[in-house]
Amino acid sequence: MNKERAMDADAAVRHMRFGKLPERIRGEDMTAEVEAAPGAEGDTYTPENSWKFYSCVAFDLGL
């Protein structure tokens, strides 16, 4: 019987600490919409600069 009281006390402490779930966060609150500046660099593809982003082992080794 003494063990039951200890378990009840432990359960009460757990319930005080973890008994209530946190409030739900809406998807709208987790994202932020920001307009891009017109003519921002990086929004268009330029073939002349595409080699900067090319990654290939054969190319890196000069093969």
Side-chain angles (χ1 to χ4, degrees):
M1 192 169 243
N2 199 12
K3 190 174 183 180
E4 286 181 17
R5 285 186 197 157
M7 291 181 108
D8 289 340
D10 291 340
V13 169
R14 276 193 307 274
H15 183 71
M16 273 191 338
R17 184 170 179 193
F18 304 111
K20 184 179 177 187
L21 294 174
E23 293 182 26
R24 186 176 185 101
I25 300 172
R26 300 182 331 198
E28 296 85 24
D29 295 337
M30 292 189 284
T31 58
E33 294 182 14
V34 179
E35 289 190 34
E41 189 173 331
D43 60 350
T44 60
Y45 174 75
T46 53
E48 294 84 19
N49 293 333
S50 66
W51 65 272
K52 294 178 184 177
F53 305 106
Y54 184 71
S55 177
C56 177
V57 175
F59 183 72
D60 291 341
L61 295 175
L63 301 176

